[in-house]
């Protein structure tokens, strides 16, 4: 159906296909079906009938021969219109600047250039490989799409991290409030105790005054009664009692003369207020960036470039060899390791030197990052939070659960905790959200866990059945991975790109599995590399290193990747 041009937008964005030139001259929009190479015009189905009656020998091409048609007006305008002067067409090419230009551009910007030629002349000595250009465009488009997807995912990550940081700020405020509440409670108790003591002392004074007043009044009445009577013995007794009571009263008044009244005073601890007013904020917000040089591909194969070992023992450690069951890297380039035998958590610098430690009743020994300065460690029936404060490890709050804890992972404010045979989801305050999964078929079936960067997959090691299992957040089993190089799988970790690192305890291996948990991508380390009973693994993205902890070994293994 034809449409009047007066009733539609005449902008080039509207005309997306070829229009009939004959209809367009009548201010009607109609899609063209044929092109006449002789007339250099497009015609609709009705107009071509009239054309054919007049011009039987013209070269006509239908939509099946679109390669013979000219470009659409929109595409022609897109190609030929000068970006700086939209009313001009590109006619020249400046060799000096390798730039297309219209007559205005040539006059204004390229008057001094030596080689400014007409495009019509330039093409005579230049051949264009459009197929090669198409390949290049497709390659760039793929890269742009990948960057677009990465940045969109990063936007979500920023929003997620923002919400987590809001919670952390709130937690800091709650801690400060709790600390101030404790100070207020202690101060009020001191105030109450002082009031009680003062009132008790003053009550004694009041009682003594009442007693002495009563005695003196009674003696005064007795003296008046005996004044007109000849009672020598009674008068002597009354006189002595009066003298004794008067003396007692004088002594008591003299004692209390310097304490006419008492008041309670309060001198505020101004150091607290001064300390708070000097602070600019509750903490420091920083931007954590991640290089996009390596594609964020959960199927990307990692390869080891070199290996090195680093001793993380301390002189104060007992003679028992370390059993490093937990490794975690926090954003300020510090590494934490949890030792289940020595019952210690150690803080390492970038060169793997121990710079701080704290004693924790580590059990299960798994550890995960909560924030840029806080981790959570499993301790038998609960989770111990530990913060890094000025290169010192500080124990924070502790959560207690109704089950033992063997593995732990964190994602967007949720804690995922394993209990040897089940997987639970908790909030950061310890509230049980739900039991996600359980397997009571025998042995240690739900050992350690990790969560994908997007939170849509949870990876669990089934130690007794030699499996890596991938679960959905609702507990649905998505996939099961079994391999000869994965015997008694122990620690599991997910890289920022989504690859899964798993330790084979009895196979003495660290293997790389794809993000779907179905396919082995590579074996990163074996017994030939000196690996013996690996129990924990972590990817250090800043240095592109995989760190491995082992049973009965004071050293950690660092695998530098290509």
């Amino acid at each position: 159906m034809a449409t009047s041009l007066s009733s539609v937008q005449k902008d080039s964005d509207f005309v997306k296909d070829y229009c009939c030139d004959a209809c367009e001259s009548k201010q009607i929009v109609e899609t063209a079906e044929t092109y006449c190479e002789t007339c250099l015009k497009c015609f609709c189905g009705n107009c071509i009938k009239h054309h054919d009656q007049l011009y039987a020998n013209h070269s006509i091409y239908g939509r099946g021969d679109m390669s013979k048609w000219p470009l659409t007006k929109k595409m022609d305008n897109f190609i030929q219109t000068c970006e700086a002067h939209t009313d001009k067409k590109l006619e020249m090419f400046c060799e000096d600047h390798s730039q297309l230009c219209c007559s205005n551009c040539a006059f204004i910007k390229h008057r001094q250039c030596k080689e400014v030629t007409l495009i019509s002349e330039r093409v005579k000595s230049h051949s264009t490989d459009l197929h090669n250009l198409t390949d290049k465009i497709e390659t760039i488009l793929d890269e742009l799409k990948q960057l677009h997807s990465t940045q969109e995912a990063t936007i979500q990550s920023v929003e997620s991290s923002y919400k987590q940081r809001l919670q952390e700020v709130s937690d800091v405020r709650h801690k400060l409030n709790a600390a101030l509440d404790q100070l207020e409670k202690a101060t009020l108790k001191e105030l109450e105790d002082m009031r009680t003591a003062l009132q008790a002392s003053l009550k004694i004074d009041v009682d003594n005054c009442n007693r002495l007043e009563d005695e003196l009044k009674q003696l005064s009445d007795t003296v008046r009664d005996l004044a007109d009577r000849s009672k020598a013995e009674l008068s002597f007794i009354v006189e002595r009692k009066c003298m004794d009571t008067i003396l007692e009263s004088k002594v008591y008044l003299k004692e209390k003369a310097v304490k006419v009244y008492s008041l309670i005073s309060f001198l505020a601890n101004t150091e607290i207020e001064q300390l708070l007013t000097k602070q600019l904020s509750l903490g420091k917000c920083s931007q954590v960036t991640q290089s996009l040089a390596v594609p964020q591909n959960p199927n990307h194969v990692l390869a080891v470039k070199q290996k090195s070992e680093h001793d993380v023992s301390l002189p104060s450690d007992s003679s028992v060899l370390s059993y490093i069951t937990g490794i975690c890297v926090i954003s300020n380039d510090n590494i934490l390791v949890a030792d289940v035998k020595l019952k210690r958590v150690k803080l390492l610098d970038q060169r793997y030197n121990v710079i701080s430690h704290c004693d924790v009743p580590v059990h299960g020994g798994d550890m995960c990052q909560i924030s840029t300065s806080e981790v959570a460690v499993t301790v038998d029936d609960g989770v111990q939070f530990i913060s890094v404060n000025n290169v010192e490890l500080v124990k924070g709050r502790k959560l207690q659960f109704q089950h033992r804890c063997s593995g732990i992972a964190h994602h967007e404010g949720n804690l995922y905790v394993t209990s040897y045979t089940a997987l639970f989801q908790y909030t950061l305050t310890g509230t049980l959200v739900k039991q996600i999964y359980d397997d009571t078929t025998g042995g240690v079936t739900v050992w350690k866990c990790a969560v994908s960067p997007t939170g849509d997959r949870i990876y669990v090691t089934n130690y007794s059945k030699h499996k890596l299992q991938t679960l959905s957040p609702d507990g649905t089993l998505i996939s099961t991975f079994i391999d000869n190089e994965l015997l008694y799988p122990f620690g599991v970790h997910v890289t920022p790109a989504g690859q899964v690192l798993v330790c084979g305890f009895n196979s003495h291996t660290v293997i790389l599995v794809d993000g779907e948990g179905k396919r082995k991508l590579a074996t990163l380390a074996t017994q030939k590399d000196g690996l013996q009973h690996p129990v924990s693994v972590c990817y250090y993205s800043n240095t592109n290193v995989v760190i491995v902890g082992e049973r009965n070994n004071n050293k950690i293994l660092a695998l530098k990747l290509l």
Side-chain angles (χ1 to χ4, degrees):
M1 177 180 176
T3 305
S4 172
L5 281 176
S6 61
S7 64
V8 298
Q9 183 180 358
K10 298 181 183 179
D11 187 79
S12 60
D13 287 340
F14 168 76
V15 185
K16 301 183 184 297
D17 200 356
Y18 295 88
C19 289
C20 175
D21 290 302
C23 291
E24 194 171 26
S25 65
K26 303 173 187 176
Q27 300 295 305
I28 297 172
V29 175
E30 187 66 63
T31 302
E33 299 296 336
T34 55
Y35 170 68
C36 177
E37 190 176 46
T38 309
C39 296
L40 300 178
K41 292 184 181 296
C42 295
F43 298 97
C44 64
N46 291 328
C47 291
I48 194 64
K49 294 177 183 177
H50 301 295
H51 171 275
D52 290 346
Q53 290 175 356
L54 296 172
Y55 309 105
N57 297 323
H58 281 198
S59 299
I60 305 298
Y61 299 101
R63 290 215 169 233
D65 293 316
M66 294 295 290
S67 60
K68 304 290 181 65
W69 288 41
L71 296 176
T72 63
K73 291 181 180 180
K74 180 179 179 181
M75 188 174 294
D76 188 66
N77 288 334
F78 170 73
I79 294 173
Q80 295 197 63
T81 301
C82 176
E83 292 182 3
H85 307 94
T86 54
D87 59 335
K88 298 288 183 179
K89 290 188 176 296
L90 298 170
E91 300 172 336
M92 303 178 185
F93 182 73
C94 176
E95 294 283 357
D96 296 356
H97 294 91
S98 188
Q99 188 174 17
L100 296 164
C101 50
C102 67
S103 56
N104 283 7
C105 291
F107 179 76
I108 297 171
K109 297 182 179 179
H110 303 280
R111 280 187 298 175
Q112 305 299 324
C113 298
K114 295 180 180 180
E115 293 190 52
V116 179
T117 59
L118 289 170
I119 293 175
S120 58
E121 293 297 323
R122 179 70 172 78
V123 297
K124 292 178 181 180
S125 60
H126 179 81
S127 60
T128 303
D129 186 355
L130 294 180
H131 292 292
N132 187 38
L133 279 176
T134 301
D135 293 339
K136 290 181 178 179
I137 289 172
E138 288 300 322
T139 300
I140 295 299
L141 279 174
D142 288 342
E143 293 178 3
L144 285 172
K145 286 178 182 178
Q146 184 176 343
L147 177 60
H148 180 268
S149 298
T150 300
Q151 297 305 78
E152 281 193 333
T154 303
I155 289 173
Q156 297 300 319
S157 297
V158 168
E159 184 64 21
S160 174
S161 64
Y162 168 74
K163 291 178 180 178
Q164 291 182 51
R165 301 299 86 78
L166 277 180
Q167 183 58 49
E168 289 172 18
V169 171
S170 178
D171 290 344
V172 171
R173 178 58 189 267
H174 287 324
K175 289 178 182 178
L176 289 175
N177 287 346
L180 290 173
D181 288 344
Q182 285 297 112
L183 293 176
E184 181 184 23
K185 185 178 179 180
T187 305
L188 291 177
K189 185 178 184 307
E190 182 182 3
L191 191 63
E192 179 66 24
D193 292 345
M194 185 173 291
R195 181 186 73 169
T196 301
L198 283 174
Q199 287 184 339
S201 175
L202 292 171
K203 184 66 167 57
I204 292 173
D205 288 343
V206 170
D207 291 342
N208 284 334
C209 287
N210 287 334
R211 178 181 60 80
L212 290 172
E213 286 176 7
D214 290 342
E215 289 181 8
L216 287 171
K217 286 179 181 179
Q218 189 174 359
L219 287 171
S220 177
D221 291 341
T222 303
V223 167
R224 280 197 293 269
D225 287 345
L226 290 174
D228 298 330
R229 300 180 185 186
S230 298
K231 303 277 185 182
E233 291 181 6
L234 291 176
S235 296
F236 178 77
I237 293 171
V238 168
E239 180 184 22
R240 293 315 308 168
K241 285 188 175 184
C242 285
M243 295 302 295
D244 291 342
T245 304
I246 290 171
L247 178 61
E248 182 183 356
S249 299
K250 287 182 177 181
V251 171
Y252 188 72
L253 288 171
K254 187 176 181 180
E255 288 178 357
K256 301 298 179 180
V258 294
K259 289 186 177 181
V260 178
Y261 60 88
S262 297
L263 293 177
I264 300 173
S265 66
F266 173 71
L267 181 62
N269 184 350
T270 57
E271 291 183 4
I272 297 175
E273 182 181 356
Q274 290 172 1
L275 179 63
L276 290 175
T277 54
K278 286 179 181 178
Q279 307 308 310
L280 299 178
S281 64
L282 290 178
K284 183 179 179 181
C285 298
S286 60
Q287 178 180 336
V288 181
T289 58
Q290 183 176 5
S291 173
L292 296 177
V294 178
Q296 298 298 292
N297 180 2
N299 297 317
H300 178 67
V301 178
L302 303 177
V304 178
K305 179 180 179 181
Q306 64 183 41
K307 309 173 185 68
S308 59
E309 288 187 323
H310 305 274
D311 195 326
V312 294
S313 62
L314 288 171
S316 59
D317 289 347
S318 65
S319 57
V320 177
L321 291 173
S322 293
Y323 198 152
I324 299 172
T325 53
I327 304 175
C328 189
V329 177
I330 56 179
S331 61
N332 58 356
D333 294 334
N334 287 323
I335 307 158
L336 289 95
V337 297
D339 193 320
V340 74
K341 275 196 174 180
L342 294 173
K343 305 298 182 185
R344 279 185 170 177
V345 173
K346 298 176 182 178
L347 177 65
L348 316 180
D349 61 17
Q350 295 181 55
R351 296 183 178 181
Y352 310 106
N353 298 311
V354 182
I355 55 178
S356 181
H357 75 277
C358 67
D359 292 334
V360 180
V362 178
H363 184 89
D366 208 0
M367 178 165 50
C368 69
Q369 181 179 0
I370 301 299
S371 70
T372 55
S373 61
E374 188 176 39
V375 296
V377 185
T378 56
V379 287
D380 192 19
D381 62 342
V383 172
Q384 175 68 59
F385 291 86
I386 300 175
S387 299
V388 180
N389 185 9
N390 295 326
V391 201
E392 292 292 331
L393 294 180
V394 180
K395 287 188 283 187
R397 66 191 187 282
K398 180 183 177 183
L399 306 179
Q400 285 191 309
F401 304 136
Q402 299 300 313
H403 57 80
R404 293 187 300 166
C405 301
S406 57
I408 188 170
H410 172 253
H411 185 265
E412 295 187 353
N414 289 304
L415 285 177
Y416 298 90
V417 183
T418 58
S419 66
Y420 300 88
T421 59
L423 171 66
F424 300 88
Q425 180 182 344
Y426 290 93
T427 66
L428 286 176
T429 57
T431 301
L432 177 64
V433 178
K434 60 183 175 181
Q435 178 177 311
I436 297 176
Y437 177 78
D438 72 325
D439 183 350
T440 56
T441 57
V444 180
T445 54
V446 187
W447 185 219
K448 305 293 181 178
C449 65
V451 184
S452 66
T454 55
D456 61 338
R457 288 180 174 87
I458 306 170
Y459 307 96
V460 173
T461 52
N462 186 325
Y463 182 81
S464 298
K465 306 295 174 62
H466 315 292
K467 298 177 182 178
L468 172 68
Q469 295 177 305
T470 304
L471 310 173
S472 67
D474 64 2
T476 302
L477 181 62
I478 298 175
S479 64
T480 298
F481 175 80
I482 300 175
D483 191 89
N484 291 333
E485 288 190 319
L486 191 62
L487 301 180
Y488 295 100
F490 213 102
V492 59
H493 175 81
V494 183
T495 71
Q499 305 105 319
V500 185
L501 295 163
V502 195
C503 297
F505 183 76
N506 269 18
S507 51
H508 313 290
T509 54
V510 172
I511 66 173
L512 183 72
V513 180
D514 72 324
E516 294 184 355
K518 296 179 179 179
R519 181 169 59 93
K520 181 171 68 175
L521 299 176
T523 301
L524 301 183
T526 67
Q527 200 167 14
K528 293 180 181 179
D529 302 304
L531 194 62
Q532 201 70 16
H533 295 300
V535 292
S536 57
V537 63
C538 182
Y539 176 66
Y540 190 0
S541 58
N542 285 17
T543 57
N544 201 27
V545 170
V546 172
I547 308 170
V548 185
E550 303 169 68
R551 183 188 73 170
N552 297 335
N553 196 336
N554 291 331
K555 297 179 180 180
I556 55 174
L557 178 65
L559 305 174
K560 179 69 175 178
L561 303 178
L562 292 174

